[in-house]
Amino acid sequence: MAKKNNSQKLISTLLANKKLTNTQREKLAALMIRDLNLVNPNQDGESDRNLPQSDLPEYHSSKDVMDFLLEYNQDPILKYTCHPIDDMNVINEIAEQCENKVYSVKSHYHLISSRFKQLREKYNPKTTGKYLDGKVLTLMRVYITGETFHRVASAWSTQSIAYNWHSPELWEWSNKNPGIVPNPGENIAEFLCNEGYKLPKPFISNLSGKRINTFGDLVMYYKSLLHIKRDDNLQNKILYIYKKGYQTGDQNSHPWLDRIDLTIGKFDNNIELFTSVDKLLQAFGAILSICIENQVEDIPHVEVGFYRELESKRVCFYVHHKNSQYHKGVEDSIKKIGEKQTLLIKNQINGICDLYIQADFGNDQYAEINLWDGKPRAAINIEKIEGVKYILKY
């Protein structure tokens, strides 16, 4: 008790420093409480060893992000930022809403920007309590406006793409091509004898290897970052980055081909899912890194799958490291998760999906642990399983 009182006096003295900002005081208090292990005593007066001592964030559900992306995709104006425009009636309706006789990108942009602002306000966390992942929102905003929320011109996606609906070059092209949409579908392109706006500098998609030549291609690339469906399925993306690596900005991860033996398990390509595909693929890469780090002999034998649970209807993506065993027992795994798992939750999982693990914990113990789903971590006994399986649930 004397040690605790002395520690509290030390903290009070340091926090009394008037030169510290409120943020610095909060960080100092959190660090000292962690280092001195000043956790709340339980009813028996002893430290509660079940409290996690890791640097985990506040839990956020994935539902709000998924609902937001679905509503965005169904909005009659916003949907054409992620679909080609292939109907003259749609073009005329957009021009009419812009109070123009002829379609122009500039007017269309202002309509898109206004509608996007309205949708964001509908999910405003201050008034609704909903949570939207900041990186997802920033990607969408920069793609539309060319600006971040801090009004600084920027590029979007992990490939640092500079083209957007507010690009001066695009507006200049539109002025020279009145009535022509920048992202026409095949029928409209043929009818108007115009393929839309061609990018000054085409690039290669880091999801498929496809060359992005036109604004129509760019629109579909943007969609592929937020939507998984049959004709743009997850399996093809997984296999592509497994063989080629995953480009992120100026860096390019090494291909996994020579370091992982990958097989495709239960994979339902009919599933449609609105989510951050970028974070899903980043999580896949992070889990593969964990598999390599924990492999003792040979190379990791990994199976991936994608399916919908029958009872809950939740969509699941799993990465199953088969020739492995978890390095901690069940109880220790519940008390504290590893550093790499903590980073996985902070950087990719939280607010996008939930995370579970099924594993062989040794000593004939086979269990599932909810690493991140907003509930206290607990173990459920399961049937015998080989290795370690990470399950991302949407």
Side-chain angles (χ1 to χ4, degrees):
M1 181 62 71
K3 178 179 178 182
K4 180 177 179 180
N5 290 335
N6 290 336
S7 299
Q8 291 175 333
K9 289 179 181 179
L10 175 61
I11 292 175
S12 299
T13 301
L14 289 172
L15 294 180
N17 188 340
K18 296 182 179 180
K19 294 183 179 181
L20 293 178
T21 65
N22 290 335
T23 301
Q24 289 172 330
R25 287 190 176 91
E26 291 174 1
K27 289 183 177 179
L28 177 62
L31 287 171
M32 295 194 69
I33 289 172
R34 183 197 66 185
D35 293 341
L36 294 170
N37 198 28
L38 295 179
V39 296
N40 293 328
N42 61 22
Q43 292 180 349
D44 297 325
E46 297 179 356
S47 294
D48 187 349
R49 296 182 180 180
N50 289 324
L51 287 177
Q53 299 297 309
S54 56
D55 186 23
L56 289 169
E58 177 186 355
Y59 171 81
H60 292 295
S61 168
S62 62
K63 185 178 185 303
D64 294 335
V65 170
M66 295 171 69
D67 289 346
F68 178 83
L69 293 177
L70 175 61
E71 195 164 348
Y72 179 98
N73 188 74
Q74 294 178 335
D75 183 277
I77 297 300
L78 296 175
K79 68 183 293 184
Y80 291 110
T81 65
C82 51
H83 292 83
I85 301 176
D86 206 25
D87 190 324
M88 281 303 303
N89 291 327
V90 172
I91 298 174
N92 293 333
E93 184 178 340
I94 291 172
E96 184 178 340
Q97 289 201 42
C98 295
E99 299 182 352
N100 290 340
K101 292 182 179 180
V102 178
Y103 173 89
S104 79
V105 169
K106 181 178 179 180
S107 298
H108 191 190
Y109 159 77
H110 287 298
L111 182 62
I112 291 168
S113 183
S114 174
R115 194 65 67 92
F116 182 58
K117 183 177 180 180
Q118 291 173 17
L119 182 59
R120 286 197 347 258
E121 189 60 34
K122 185 176 178 180
Y123 284 77
N124 189 328
K126 294 181 180 179
T127 56
T128 66
K130 297 180 183 294
Y131 172 82
L132 298 177
D133 181 78
K135 290 185 178 179
V136 172
L137 274 181
T138 297
L139 179 145
M140 299 173 76
R141 180 182 171 88
V142 178
Y143 165 72
I144 292 172
T145 69
E147 299 176 335
T148 68
F149 289 96
H150 300 292
R151 296 288 181 183
V152 178
S154 181
W156 57 275
S157 95
T158 54
Q159 292 195 255
S160 300
I161 300 168
Y163 308 117
N164 55 72
W165 284 86
H166 198 210
S167 295
E169 301 88 351
L170 174 63
W171 286 19
E172 183 180 351
W173 171 88
S174 181
N175 290 335
K176 295 177 180 179
N177 294 271
I180 307 297
V181 294
N183 55 323
E186 292 183 4
N187 294 327
I188 291 298
E190 183 177 353
F191 177 73
L192 298 176
C193 299
N194 195 310
E195 296 181 355
Y197 179 64
K198 294 183 179 179
L199 303 182
K201 293 183 180 180
F203 64 94
I204 303 298
S205 166
N206 62 348
L207 301 177
S208 65
K210 178 183 177 182
R211 188 175 178 84
I212 309 300
N213 292 304
T214 66
F215 201 79
D217 294 336
L218 186 71
V219 163
M220 297 309 295
Y221 172 77
Y222 168 73
K223 181 179 180 64
S224 71
L225 293 173
L226 303 171
H227 191 187
I228 294 169
K229 55 178 184 171
R230 182 175 179 80
D231 59 358
D232 190 17
N233 61 71
L234 180 61
Q235 181 176 334
N236 288 341
K237 292 180 173 65
I238 289 293
L239 290 175
Y240 179 79
I241 68 171
Y242 168 64
K243 296 174 182 177
K244 300 291 185 179
Y246 189 40
Q247 180 184 341
T248 55
D250 295 330
Q251 298 181 344
N252 189 33
S253 68
H254 296 292
W256 303 102
L257 189 61
D258 297 329
R259 297 181 290 163
I260 298 277
D261 175 27
L262 186 75
T263 58
I264 300 296
K266 181 181 180 181
F267 225 105
D268 185 354
N269 284 320
N270 288 317
I271 290 176
E272 191 168 357
L273 177 66
F274 289 94
T275 187
S276 171
V277 177
D278 179 44
K279 285 200 171 186
L280 190 162
L281 295 176
Q282 286 183 24
F284 170 63
I287 294 171
L288 290 187
S289 294
I290 294 174
C291 295
I292 291 174
E293 183 178 293
N294 292 330
Q295 187 66 34
V296 178
E297 298 177 353
D298 197 9
I299 65 172
H301 300 307
V302 175
E303 178 184 283
V304 294
F306 190 59
Y307 64 95
R308 190 184 300 276
E309 289 182 330
L310 293 177
E311 294 184 2
S312 69
K313 304 301 181 183
R314 298 185 70 182
V315 174
C316 302
F317 171 66
Y318 71 82
V319 182
H320 188 178
H321 185 187
K322 291 193 170 184
N323 57 332
S324 179
Q325 186 181 77
Y326 211 62
H327 291 177
K328 291 194 294 186
V330 172
E331 293 302 320
D332 289 332
S333 300
I334 293 174
K335 291 177 183 177
K336 185 177 181 181
I337 65 175
E339 179 183 357
K340 293 293 179 65
Q341 294 172 336
T342 298
L343 291 174
L344 175 65
I345 290 169
K346 290 176 63 177
N347 297 331
Q348 285 90 33
I349 299 297
N350 192 34
I352 299 298
C353 61
D354 292 342
L355 180 63
Y356 299 80
I357 192 169
Q358 294 179 351
D360 173 4
F361 289 92
N363 298 318
D364 292 325
Q365 284 188 303
Y366 306 94
E368 176 181 284
I369 297 177
N370 55 326
L371 292 185
W372 196 250
D373 68 349
K375 301 174 184 176
R377 284 196 295 274
I380 300 175
N381 292 329
I382 60 173
E383 295 182 2
K384 184 176 181 179
I385 183 175
E386 56 178 343
V388 182
K389 179 188 283 189
Y390 287 86
I391 307 173
L392 283 60
K393 292 190 179 184
Y394 295 83

